[in-house]
Amino acid sequence: MKIEIIAYGIAKDIIDGPSLSMDVVEAVDVGTVRKILLSAYPALKGLASLQLAVNAEYVKDDFVLKENDEVVIIPPVSGG
Amino acid sequence: MSLSKEEHIRYNRQIILPDFGTEGQQKLKASKVLVIGAGGLGVPNLQYLTGAGIGTIGIIDFDEISLTNLQRQVLFDTADVGASKAVVAAKRLGQLNPETSFQVYQEQLTAKNAMSIIEQYDLVIDGSDNLPTRYLVNDACVFLGNSLIYGAIFRYEGQLSVFNELQKDGTRGPNYRDLFPTPPPPEMVTSCSEGGVFGALAGIIGAMQANEAIKVLADLGNTLSGRLLLFDSLYFTTRILNVKSNKENPVSGDNPSIFSLIDYEAFCAGPNGNLKDQSLITVSELNALIDAADSPFLLDVRELHEFELSNINSVNIPLSELKNRISEIPEDKSIVVHCRSGQRSQKAIALLKEEGFNQLKNLEGGLLAWKNEIDHTLEVY
């Protein structure tokens, strides 16, 4: 199934754009997607402790994804 | 708190709003708001809060106005360059609204002064420009029971939320540590001076902070408490995420472990980044070493565009590229790392330590100090 990765802040630099589509197996959980992303983009390691959100909710790593879900990476931003 | 005839006229366009009324105006007049940082976010906050008739506004900023500020900090004039931000802001804002009184703090907010300053206010606006201050402000507001209006900007993007707001059930809404329990490594956090920032975006996020602050103070509508707004102005997308209170939050969770302010620089610097553990070299010490036989390897970790404008004949590897270009750094020489002010070099040294380098020194005060004390012609902004 297809899911969408949405990146903000510095994560956008790392995945080289505001979003990317990913093909994953059915019923994959967020923790697995996190691992796939880390191996494809080792620079995300610095953000490994971030909570990920799915659609409009922050979720834990055992959250199970469904088709077309959006996994959102939101690093803290310091500028003011 | 009654309103004069002139105040009724001045605030007429909001007094006639449904739900606002004279009562809303009186609440604003009785309110005290502290604005942390008179920069990209602080300036629009200050302008709209002053216009709206907040009774007392505190402005804390230790910095001076620079030419690079004026692209987004449009309260200031070109002739103000070099003057204190907090002082000039209070003067201009006093002309906008003489009904508001201003308290000016020309100092840095620290763990030492934060509690005694913040406790004098009802609500705090975070317009700071670094992570340690953001955690400091958050914790102080949690300890003191203040609402905190959070805003942060990066390049074309902004974040906005309302933290620690008193809920109808008597509890407090989520705070910064519910959103970001642990700071990422410093090299993953970019400031406006490194990453750039869109001018009008600062105005948009700052004005939205002021809007939320006024709603909290006048008890209007629904605020962003428990929600985080993400705004990407480049692709024009907005997203609102729900934020929940985390039971494990060390300042506000079920079993809190932090009861007073901590060392936030160390907290955000990571295991190798504690400034106290890093050795420093002053600009005059470095100047004396430069022509010596065993002169150190000079590593400038500013961005290329900054380096090209002006440099001290160093090798340039921007902090953002350092990890991938480690092989360009000699392992057998002592290394003096420098940047604009000494902050990025601190992060770079933490990273180099992790890679096994140990003869590292940070140039104290960075190239700004070099410009002040050694070479006035250096172009550093």
Side-chain angles (χ1 to χ4, degrees):
Chain A
M1 64 178 193
K2 265 205 163 38
I3 59 166
E4 201 75 16
I5 308 295
I6 310 284
Y8 284 91
I10 196 86
K12 222 188 219 177
D13 285 10
I14 299 172
I15 72 162
D16 200 22
S19 65
L20 70 96
S21 284
M22 236 167 86
D23 249 320
V24 289
V25 296
E26 296 284 322
V28 71
D29 66 18
V30 167
T32 308
V33 170
R34 185 193 292 275
K35 280 183 203 139
I36 297 170
L37 281 170
L38 278 171
S39 69
Y41 303 96
L44 285 174
K45 185 170 155 269
L47 300 174
S49 67
L50 277 190
Q51 280 189 91
L52 297 174
V54 174
N55 305 327
E57 303 286 338
Y58 280 95
V59 297
K60 297 259 189 287
D61 275 9
D62 58 4
F63 185 89
V64 176
L65 295 167
K66 50 186 197 316
E67 178 104 42
N68 297 325
D69 270 348
E70 293 182 325
V71 177
V72 194
I73 312 172
I74 308 141
V77 161
S78 74
Chain B
M1 221 173 237
S2 65
L3 303 174
S4 68
K5 192 178 169 206
E6 194 184 310
E7 285 175 296
H8 273 283
I9 300 168
R10 176 183 285 271
Y11 306 119
N12 171 270
R13 295 300 188 271
Q14 62 198 39
I15 288 175
I16 61 175
L17 284 171
D19 302 333
F20 195 91
T22 308
E23 202 185 318
Q25 194 60 51
Q26 286 167 333
K27 284 179 183 160
L28 297 190
K29 190 177 177 178
S31 298
K32 296 179 165 188
V33 175
L34 178 66
V35 178
I36 295 170
L41 293 175
V43 159
N45 267 289
L46 287 164
Q47 290 176 297
Y48 283 102
L49 293 170
T50 303
I54 302 296
T56 303
I57 296 180
I59 309 170
I60 179 161
D61 200 311
F62 66 96
D63 217 351
E64 292 170 357
I65 297 161
S66 84
L67 196 55
T68 61
N69 296 151
L70 302 184
Q71 157 256 18
R72 62 198 181 284
Q73 298 167 28
V74 295
L75 177 66
F76 304 129
D77 289 345
T78 307
D80 296 327
V81 168
S84 155
K85 284 186 168 183
V87 170
V88 174
K91 187 177 154 226
R92 292 278 144 71
L93 296 165
Q95 291 163 356
L96 168 62
N97 191 349
E99 307 283 349
T100 297
S101 53
F102 296 94
Q103 192 72 47
V104 171
Y105 305 91
Q106 273 179 270
E107 56 195 296
Q108 191 157 15
L109 193 76
T110 65
K112 281 208 180 76
N113 61 17
M115 296 295 275
S116 63
I117 293 175
I118 291 175
E119 72 179 0
Q120 301 170 48
Y121 295 88
D122 307 308
L123 177 144
V124 177
I125 308 276
D126 185 359
S128 67
D129 62 358
N130 62 85
L131 235 43
T133 305
R134 292 187 179 279
Y135 280 99
L136 164 68
V137 172
N138 180 73
D139 291 2
C141 285
V142 170
F143 296 145
L144 292 165
N146 286 30
S147 297
L148 171 61
I149 315 292
Y150 163 75
I153 47 179
F154 171 76
R155 294 182 183 160
Y156 300 97
E157 289 175 33
Q159 300 184 350
L160 184 77
S161 192
V162 174
F163 293 145
N164 203 45
E165 192 190 359
L166 189 62
Q167 313 291 295
K168 295 221 159 55
D169 65 1
T171 61
R172 293 270 165 184
N175 62 67
Y176 193 61
R177 284 182 186 262
D178 293 313
L179 208 51
F180 302 115
T182 46
E187 67 272 15
M188 302 299 281
V189 184
T190 315
S191 70
C192 295
S193 55
E194 297 158 58
V197 66
F198 220 24
L201 171 77
I204 291 165
I205 299 294
M208 286 204 277
Q209 280 182 289
N211 204 62
E212 289 300 286
I214 291 165
K215 282 163 58 189
V216 171
L217 295 168
D219 197 15
L220 300 168
N222 289 329
T223 69
L224 265 182
S225 175
R227 296 183 290 165
L228 172 72
L229 169 76
L230 301 169
F231 175 47
D232 184 335
S233 72
L234 188 58
Y235 296 91
F236 215 107
T237 61
T238 58
R239 180 180 290 268
I240 294 180
L241 290 161
N242 294 316
V243 181
K244 292 193 191 80
S245 295
N246 175 7
K247 285 180 182 138
E248 271 131 57
N249 186 317
V251 293
S252 58
D254 288 351
N255 295 299
S257 56
I258 300 175
F259 302 96
S260 59
L261 301 178
I262 58 171
D263 180 346
Y264 293 90
E265 293 289 343
F267 175 63
C268 293
N272 290 316
N274 194 338
L275 192 59
K276 289 182 198 110
D277 297 340
Q278 291 190 1
S279 42
L280 297 169
I281 181 168
T282 66
V283 289
S284 51
E285 285 166 355
L286 176 62
N287 194 32
L289 279 180
I290 268 182
D291 295 320
D294 57 346
S295 63
F297 179 77
L298 297 181
L299 176 62
D300 187 334
V301 294
R302 295 177 301 156
E303 295 298 312
L304 181 63
H305 64 90
E306 299 174 88
F307 181 82
E308 282 178 340
L309 187 63
S310 202
N311 64 73
I312 57 169
N313 298 320
S314 311
V315 172
N316 178 228
I317 306 178
L319 178 61
S320 52
E321 297 169 21
L322 190 56
K323 209 159 193 163
N324 298 326
R325 293 175 61 185
I326 291 287
S327 60
E328 297 172 39
I329 302 168
E331 288 170 17
D332 54 347
K333 287 189 96 170
S334 70
I335 301 165
V336 173
V337 189
H338 54 276
C339 60
R340 176 178 168 271
S341 68
Q343 288 199 11
R344 275 172 279 175
S345 47
Q346 183 190 345
K347 299 176 185 176
I349 287 177
L351 197 150
L352 290 170
K353 272 190 178 175
E354 270 171 39
E355 298 289 335
F357 291 86
N358 48 35
Q359 299 182 70
L360 299 158
K361 280 202 164 74
N362 191 356
L363 183 64
E364 195 172 7
L367 293 177
L368 287 173
W370 188 272
K371 179 183 180 173
N372 279 336
E373 294 172 36
I374 312 288
D375 179 3
H376 298 296
T377 66
L378 199 67
E379 294 191 60
V380 188
Y381 303 103

